Amino acid sequence: MKRIRNSTAVTVLVCFSAWAVALAGEHDHHRDQHHWMSAQGLYEVRYTSALQPIEINRIHGWVLHIETEQGDPVENAEITIDGGMPAHNHGLPTSPRVTKYLGDGNYRAEGFRFHMKGDWQIRITIAAGGKVDTAVIDMTL
Amino acid sequence: MPKSFTYRCALVLAAIAAAAWLPVAAAEPWTDEEAEILRSLSLNSLESLPAAGGNAVADSPAVARFGHRLFFDRRLSSNGGIACATCHQPERRFTDGLQKGVAVGMSKRNTPSIVGAAYSPWLYWDGRKDSLWSQALSPLEDPNEHGSNRAQIVAVVAADAAYRATYESLFGAMPALADNETVDRVFSNIGKAIAAYERLLMPGPSRFDRYVEAVTAGDRERQAELFDADEIEGLRLYVGKAECTQCHNGPLLTNHEFHNTGVIAFPGEVPDKGRASGVRLVLADPFNCLGAFSDASRANCAELEFVRTGPELVGAFRTPSLRNLAGTAPYMHKGQLATLAAALQHYNDAPPAMIGHSELAPLKLNSRELQQLEAFLLTLDAPLATAGEWLRPPPD
């Protein structure tokens, strides 16, 4: 009986911890490893880099995938990209931009290059159907 | 002799023997992560030269031979006395040892080295050129440098029987130089020939590169032969506390980017706007990657097409390679800092910028650490990897 009680306690503890960690992650960053929610929760952003892994000093392109919170692809949005390294008080060394809408919520973005190792933030501002929101992709190179 | 005394003596002797090995023992082994960073800085990591999209003849040996002749030819100037090699002197790693280049007049900025320049997407301190071939044209027409103009330069090549024959064998018949576009076409081909030569100027492996090989091999004895304790500590600072690799990264020790580091203006001059003016010039340049004389497709002009503009570029200058520092003083865009020690002191102090905003923060290194950093930087000196025949004027 004692053993059962102990194992139950452990299970509860583990479950609670997992839930707490998951909640904390969601609360802090609105993202997991592959998805980034925009600040107001309107859009979810994913990206796929043509250069994998991303290395410094190489210009390359990404495909951005934009969905609504409900999981519907966001069509023909106006997207602007900026960012930089907050710790070094400088922006991106290039001006990446969306060059083509590929359909199904996918957008080709070209002209990314990162010239330092460290923590980068890429801000993706999405305007669709009169609703504007910005997702911040945190990235460590 | 009591046994315990003998034992004690043996211990002392062992300690002395160990102390003699101290330089080896004192050097903490590099962690796997650190070794990976060191390898990223080694010439062994240098990738093959990127294709020169805008210059279809960039890798032709015959064109490089033509460019070699042009590079050393003093007739390509208003006074018949200035060649590219006047300022880009092979024996000084293609620099001139002066604060600012001196040719027909005094150049506006310090003469940068050309060694390894073919890897850079941007040329000049302000990046106002986006290819070697396009860059090579500018000094010819700069009133303070070669002081000539494209019509004169093209006429020199067309009038010299040997040049004319070489030109025609490489680029087709020399056209009648009747209009501006034709002159521009021949002029751009002259730039492409000089660039083909310049693509051959590559840094050679330095003591640092050999040290990294020893680190990779785990050969600590060889490491100790190659680097003394100060050089090792200097390297540790370089990749660590001094944060040099923020900008001076990759095998050429440069990210080819533009940074405001708050270097004081040249005495008596207003501060140089640097990249802020360079980016305007390159976008308007008829000889840029997207221009009519470039051989590149639009897809090969990504650096220009996605170039950054904006106020952050005010007072920013291109990060130079740190290879061959010993022979390339003075330093910075106007040669403001005479010695390597002065350059390191500048980064340690991180003064506020006179124009724009400096990206630097004071390093807070002590004088010993600055000396160690300098000792390491001097290990990056090495003879060029380029064959000697290219480093001399061509035989007549």
mmCIF file with all atom_site columns, all heavy atoms in Angstrom, chain B residues 9-27:
data_model
loop_
_atom_site.group_PDB
_atom_site.id
_atom_site.type_symbol
_atom_site.label_atom_id
_atom_site.label_alt_id
_atom_site.label_comp_id
_atom_site.label_asym_id
_atom_site.label_entity_id
_atom_site.label_seq_id
_atom_site.pdbx_PDB_ins_code
_atom_site.Cartn_x
_atom_site.Cartn_y
_atom_site.Cartn_z
_atom_site.occupancy
_atom_site.B_iso_or_equiv
_atom_site.pdbx_formal_charge
_atom_site.auth_seq_id
_atom_site.auth_comp_id
_atom_site.auth_asym_id
_atom_site.auth_atom_id
_atom_site.pdbx_PDB_model_num
ATOM 1   N N   . CYS B 1 9  ? 63.859 14.758 -0.897  1.00 0.00 ? 9  CYS B N   1
ATOM 2   C CA  . CYS B 1 9  ? 64.682 15.298 -1.984  1.00 0.00 ? 9  CYS B CA  1
ATOM 3   C C   . CYS B 1 9  ? 64.109 14.914 -3.347  1.00 0.00 ? 9  CYS B C   1
ATOM 4   O O   . CYS B 1 9  ? 64.046 15.733 -4.270  1.00 0.00 ? 9  CYS B O   1
ATOM 5   C CB  . CYS B 1 9  ? 66.107 14.767 -1.887  1.00 0.00 ? 9  CYS B CB  1
ATOM 6   S SG  . CYS B 1 9  ? 67.047 15.632 -0.642  1.00 0.00 ? 9  CYS B SG  1
ATOM 7   N N   . ALA B 1 10 ? 63.723 13.646 -3.415  1.00 0.00 ? 10 ALA B N   1
ATOM 8   C CA  . ALA B 1 10 ? 63.171 13.158 -4.691  1.00 0.00 ? 10 ALA B CA  1
ATOM 9   C C   . ALA B 1 10 ? 61.929 13.959 -5.060  1.00 0.00 ? 10 ALA B C   1
ATOM 10  O O   . ALA B 1 10 ? 61.729 14.338 -6.216  1.00 0.00 ? 10 ALA B O   1
ATOM 11  C CB  . ALA B 1 10 ? 62.839 11.672 -4.570  1.00 0.00 ? 10 ALA B CB  1
ATOM 12  N N   . LEU B 1 11 ? 61.136 14.262 -4.048  1.00 0.00 ? 11 LEU B N   1
ATOM 13  C CA  . LEU B 1 11 ? 59.916 15.036 -4.280  1.00 0.00 ? 11 LEU B CA  1
ATOM 14  C C   . LEU B 1 11 ? 60.238 16.429 -4.809  1.00 0.00 ? 11 LEU B C   1
ATOM 15  O O   . LEU B 1 11 ? 59.627 16.919 -5.768  1.00 0.00 ? 11 LEU B O   1
ATOM 16  C CB  . LEU B 1 11 ? 59.116 15.168 -2.968  1.00 0.00 ? 11 LEU B CB  1
ATOM 17  C CG  . LEU B 1 11 ? 58.037 14.148 -2.709  1.00 0.00 ? 11 LEU B CG  1
ATOM 18  C CD1 . LEU B 1 11 ? 57.300 14.491 -1.415  1.00 0.00 ? 11 LEU B CD1 1
ATOM 19  C CD2 . LEU B 1 11 ? 57.046 14.093 -3.870  1.00 0.00 ? 11 LEU B CD2 1
ATOM 20  N N   . VAL B 1 12 ? 61.239 17.079 -4.156  1.00 0.00 ? 12 VAL B N   1
ATOM 21  C CA  . VAL B 1 12 ? 61.636 18.432 -4.564  1.00 0.00 ? 12 VAL B CA  1
ATOM 22  C C   . VAL B 1 12 ? 62.145 18.409 -5.994  1.00 0.00 ? 12 VAL B C   1
ATOM 23  O O   . VAL B 1 12 ? 61.774 19.245 -6.824  1.00 0.00 ? 12 VAL B O   1
ATOM 24  C CB  . VAL B 1 12 ? 62.700 19.000 -3.585  1.00 0.00 ? 12 VAL B CB  1
ATOM 25  C CG1 . VAL B 1 12 ? 63.319 20.289 -4.149  1.00 0.00 ? 12 VAL B CG1 1
ATOM 26  C CG2 . VAL B 1 12 ? 62.082 19.260 -2.227  1.00 0.00 ? 12 VAL B CG2 1
ATOM 27  N N   . LEU B 1 13 ? 63.025 17.420 -6.289  1.00 0.00 ? 13 LEU B N   1
ATOM 28  C CA  . LEU B 1 13 ? 63.571 17.319 -7.650  1.00 0.00 ? 13 LEU B CA  1
ATOM 29  C C   . LEU B 1 13 ? 62.457 17.102 -8.669  1.00 0.00 ? 13 LEU B C   1
ATOM 30  O O   . LEU B 1 13 ? 62.462 17.686 -9.749  1.00 0.00 ? 13 LEU B O   1
ATOM 31  C CB  . LEU B 1 13 ? 64.593 16.173 -7.718  1.00 0.00 ? 13 LEU B CB  1
ATOM 32  C CG  . LEU B 1 13 ? 65.946 16.486 -7.063  1.00 0.00 ? 13 LEU B CG  1
ATOM 33  C CD1 . LEU B 1 13 ? 66.822 15.244 -7.036  1.00 0.00 ? 13 LEU B CD1 1
ATOM 34  C CD2 . LEU B 1 13 ? 66.650 17.629 -7.793  1.00 0.00 ? 13 LEU B CD2 1
ATOM 35  N N   . ALA B 1 14 ? 61.522 16.266 -8.283  1.00 0.00 ? 14 ALA B N   1
ATOM 36  C CA  . ALA B 1 14 ? 60.381 16.001 -9.188  1.00 0.00 ? 14 ALA B CA  1
ATOM 37  C C   . ALA B 1 14 ? 59.602 17.290 -9.431  1.00 0.00 ? 14 ALA B C   1
ATOM 38  O O   . ALA B 1 14 ? 59.185 17.586 -10.548 1.00 0.00 ? 14 ALA B O   1
ATOM 39  C CB  . ALA B 1 14 ? 59.476 14.928 -8.586  1.00 0.00 ? 14 ALA B CB  1
ATOM 40  N N   . ALA B 1 15 ? 59.452 18.085 -8.360  1.00 0.00 ? 15 ALA B N   1
ATOM 41  C CA  . ALA B 1 15 ? 58.709 19.342 -8.484  1.00 0.00 ? 15 ALA B CA  1
ATOM 42  C C   . ALA B 1 15 ? 59.442 20.291 -9.422  1.00 0.00 ? 15 ALA B C   1
ATOM 43  O O   . ALA B 1 15 ? 58.830 20.965 -10.256 1.00 0.00 ? 15 ALA B O   1
ATOM 44  C CB  . ALA B 1 15 ? 58.530 19.972 -7.104  1.00 0.00 ? 15 ALA B CB  1
ATOM 45  N N   . ILE B 1 16 ? 60.810 20.322 -9.270  1.00 0.00 ? 16 ILE B N   1
ATOM 46  C CA  . ILE B 1 16 ? 61.594 21.211 -10.150 1.00 0.00 ? 16 ILE B CA  1
ATOM 47  C C   . ILE B 1 16 ? 61.456 20.751 -11.598 1.00 0.00 ? 16 ILE B C   1
ATOM 48  O O   . ILE B 1 16 ? 61.263 21.553 -12.506 1.00 0.00 ? 16 ILE B O   1
ATOM 49  C CB  . ILE B 1 16 ? 63.084 21.228 -9.708  1.00 0.00 ? 16 ILE B CB  1
ATOM 50  C CG1 . ILE B 1 16 ? 63.199 21.951 -8.360  1.00 0.00 ? 16 ILE B CG1 1
ATOM 51  C CG2 . ILE B 1 16 ? 63.970 21.901 -10.756 1.00 0.00 ? 16 ILE B CG2 1
ATOM 52  C CD1 . ILE B 1 16 ? 64.551 21.813 -7.690  1.00 0.00 ? 16 ILE B CD1 1
ATOM 53  N N   . ALA B 1 17 ? 61.548 19.439 -11.797 1.00 0.00 ? 17 ALA B N   1
ATOM 54  C CA  . ALA B 1 17 ? 61.415 18.891 -13.156 1.00 0.00 ? 17 ALA B CA  1
ATOM 55  C C   . ALA B 1 17 ? 60.043 19.245 -13.738 1.00 0.00 ? 17 ALA B C   1
ATOM 56  O O   . ALA B 1 17 ? 59.928 19.647 -14.896 1.00 0.00 ? 17 ALA B O   1
ATOM 57  C CB  . ALA B 1 17 ? 61.598 17.378 -13.123 1.00 0.00 ? 17 ALA B CB  1
ATOM 58  N N   . ALA B 1 18 ? 59.035 19.144 -12.879 1.00 0.00 ? 18 ALA B N   1
ATOM 59  C CA  . ALA B 1 18 ? 57.676 19.468 -13.349 1.00 0.00 ? 18 ALA B CA  1
ATOM 60  C C   . ALA B 1 18 ? 57.598 20.941 -13.715 1.00 0.00 ? 18 ALA B C   1
ATOM 61  O O   . ALA B 1 18 ? 56.982 21.317 -14.713 1.00 0.00 ? 18 ALA B O   1
ATOM 62  C CB  . ALA B 1 18 ? 56.660 19.127 -12.266 1.00 0.00 ? 18 ALA B CB  1
ATOM 63  N N   . ALA B 1 19 ? 58.289 21.799 -12.891 1.00 0.00 ? 19 ALA B N   1
ATOM 64  C CA  . ALA B 1 19 ? 58.240 23.237 -13.156 1.00 0.00 ? 19 ALA B CA  1
ATOM 65  C C   . ALA B 1 19 ? 58.862 23.562 -14.513 1.00 0.00 ? 19 ALA B C   1
ATOM 66  O O   . ALA B 1 19 ? 58.420 24.467 -15.211 1.00 0.00 ? 19 ALA B O   1
ATOM 67  C CB  . ALA B 1 19 ? 58.954 23.991 -12.048 1.00 0.00 ? 19 ALA B CB  1
ATOM 68  N N   . ALA B 1 20 ? 59.913 22.800 -14.863 1.00 0.00 ? 20 ALA B N   1
ATOM 69  C CA  . ALA B 1 20 ? 60.562 23.022 -16.157 1.00 0.00 ? 20 ALA B CA  1
ATOM 70  C C   . ALA B 1 20 ? 59.594 22.765 -17.304 1.00 0.00 ? 20 ALA B C   1
ATOM 71  O O   . ALA B 1 20 ? 59.696 23.366 -18.372 1.00 0.00 ? 20 ALA B O   1
ATOM 72  C CB  . ALA B 1 20 ? 61.770 22.112 -16.281 1.00 0.00 ? 20 ALA B CB  1
ATOM 73  N N   . TRP B 1 21 ? 58.636 21.907 -17.052 1.00 0.00 ? 21 TRP B N   1
ATOM 74  C CA  . TRP B 1 21 ? 57.629 21.586 -18.088 1.00 0.00 ? 21 TRP B CA  1
ATOM 75  C C   . TRP B 1 21 ? 56.398 22.485 -17.980 1.00 0.00 ? 21 TRP B C   1
ATOM 76  O O   . TRP B 1 21 ? 55.427 22.311 -18.695 1.00 0.00 ? 21 TRP B O   1
ATOM 77  C CB  . TRP B 1 21 ? 57.187 20.122 -17.949 1.00 0.00 ? 21 TRP B CB  1
ATOM 78  C CG  . TRP B 1 21 ? 58.208 19.188 -18.524 1.00 0.00 ? 21 TRP B CG  1
ATOM 79  C CD1 . TRP B 1 21 ? 59.234 18.598 -17.877 1.00 0.00 ? 21 TRP B CD1 1
ATOM 80  C CD2 . TRP B 1 21 ? 58.307 18.768 -19.879 1.00 0.00 ? 21 TRP B CD2 1
ATOM 81  N NE1 . TRP B 1 21 ? 59.972 17.855 -18.723 1.00 0.00 ? 21 TRP B NE1 1
ATOM 82  C CE2 . TRP B 1 21 ? 59.433 17.917 -19.978 1.00 0.00 ? 21 TRP B CE2 1
ATOM 83  C CE3 . TRP B 1 21 ? 57.561 19.035 -21.039 1.00 0.00 ? 21 TRP B CE3 1
ATOM 84  C CZ2 . TRP B 1 21 ? 59.827 17.347 -21.160 1.00 0.00 ? 21 TRP B CZ2 1
ATOM 85  C CZ3 . TRP B 1 21 ? 57.951 18.445 -22.218 1.00 0.00 ? 21 TRP B CZ3 1
ATOM 86  C CH2 . TRP B 1 21 ? 59.078 17.611 -22.280 1.00 0.00 ? 21 TRP B CH2 1
ATOM 87  N N   . LEU B 1 22 ? 56.501 23.429 -17.062 1.00 0.00 ? 22 LEU B N   1
ATOM 88  C CA  . LEU B 1 22 ? 55.320 24.223 -16.735 1.00 0.00 ? 22 LEU B CA  1
ATOM 89  C C   . LEU B 1 22 ? 54.619 24.853 -17.945 1.00 0.00 ? 22 LEU B C   1
ATOM 90  O O   . LEU B 1 22 ? 53.398 24.817 -18.032 1.00 0.00 ? 22 LEU B O   1
ATOM 91  C CB  . LEU B 1 22 ? 55.690 25.299 -15.704 1.00 0.00 ? 22 LEU B CB  1
ATOM 92  C CG  . LEU B 1 22 ? 54.548 25.760 -14.821 1.00 0.00 ? 22 LEU B CG  1
ATOM 93  C CD1 . LEU B 1 22 ? 53.931 24.567 -14.091 1.00 0.00 ? 22 LEU B CD1 1
ATOM 94  C CD2 . LEU B 1 22 ? 55.025 26.807 -13.813 1.00 0.00 ? 22 LEU B CD2 1
ATOM 95  N N   . PRO B 1 23 ? 55.414 25.438 -18.899 1.00 0.00 ? 23 PRO B N   1
ATOM 96  C CA  . PRO B 1 23 ? 54.697 26.058 -20.021 1.00 0.00 ? 23 PRO B CA  1
ATOM 97  C C   . PRO B 1 23 ? 53.734 25.104 -20.714 1.00 0.00 ? 23 PRO B C   1
ATOM 98  O O   . PRO B 1 23 ? 52.688 25.496 -21.181 1.00 0.00 ? 23 PRO B O   1
ATOM 99  C CB  . PRO B 1 23 ? 55.818 26.484 -20.974 1.00 0.00 ? 23 PRO B CB  1
ATOM 100 C CG  . PRO B 1 23 ? 57.009 26.646 -20.078 1.00 0.00 ? 23 PRO B CG  1
ATOM 101 C CD  . PRO B 1 23 ? 56.842 25.616 -18.974 1.00 0.00 ? 23 PRO B CD  1
ATOM 102 N N   . VAL B 1 24 ? 54.135 23.821 -20.767 1.00 0.00 ? 24 VAL B N   1
ATOM 103 C CA  . VAL B 1 24 ? 53.258 22.828 -21.396 1.00 0.00 ? 24 VAL B CA  1
ATOM 104 C C   . VAL B 1 24 ? 52.095 22.516 -20.458 1.00 0.00 ? 24 VAL B C   1
ATOM 105 O O   . VAL B 1 24 ? 50.933 22.575 -20.833 1.00 0.00 ? 24 VAL B O   1
ATOM 106 C CB  . VAL B 1 24 ? 54.030 21.526 -21.707 1.00 0.00 ? 24 VAL B CB  1
ATOM 107 C CG1 . VAL B 1 24 ? 53.112 20.533 -22.384 1.00 0.00 ? 24 VAL B CG1 1
ATOM 108 C CG2 . VAL B 1 24 ? 55.252 21.820 -22.542 1.00 0.00 ? 24 VAL B CG2 1
ATOM 109 N N   . ALA B 1 25 ? 52.508 22.245 -19.187 1.00 0.00 ? 25 ALA B N   1
ATOM 110 C CA  . ALA B 1 25 ? 51.498 21.812 -18.241 1.00 0.00 ? 25 ALA B CA  1
ATOM 111 C C   . ALA B 1 25 ? 50.508 22.928 -17.939 1.00 0.00 ? 25 ALA B C   1
ATOM 112 O O   . ALA B 1 25 ? 49.334 22.677 -17.737 1.00 0.00 ? 25 ALA B O   1
ATOM 113 C CB  . ALA B 1 25 ? 52.173 21.337 -16.962 1.00 0.00 ? 25 ALA B CB  1
ATOM 114 N N   . ALA B 1 26 ? 51.032 24.206 -17.933 1.00 0.00 ? 26 ALA B N   1
ATOM 115 C CA  . ALA B 1 26 ? 50.166 25.316 -17.538 1.00 0.00 ? 26 ALA B CA  1
ATOM 116 C C   . ALA B 1 26 ? 49.075 25.575 -18.561 1.00 0.00 ? 26 ALA B C   1
ATOM 117 O O   . ALA B 1 26 ? 48.029 26.087 -18.219 1.00 0.00 ? 26 ALA B O   1
ATOM 118 C CB  . ALA B 1 26 ? 51.003 26.566 -17.337 1.00 0.00 ? 26 ALA B CB  1
ATOM 119 N N   . ALA B 1 27 ? 49.378 25.264 -19.835 1.00 0.00 ? 27 ALA B N   1
ATOM 120 C CA  . ALA B 1 27 ? 48.377 25.532 -20.866 1.00 0.00 ? 27 ALA B CA  1
ATOM 121 C C   . ALA B 1 27 ? 47.244 24.524 -20.713 1.00 0.00 ? 27 ALA B C   1
ATOM 122 O O   . ALA B 1 27 ? 47.432 23.341 -20.962 1.00 0.00 ? 27 ALA B O   1
ATOM 123 C CB  . ALA B 1 27 ? 49.022 25.430 -22.239 1.00 0.00 ? 27 ALA B CB  1
#
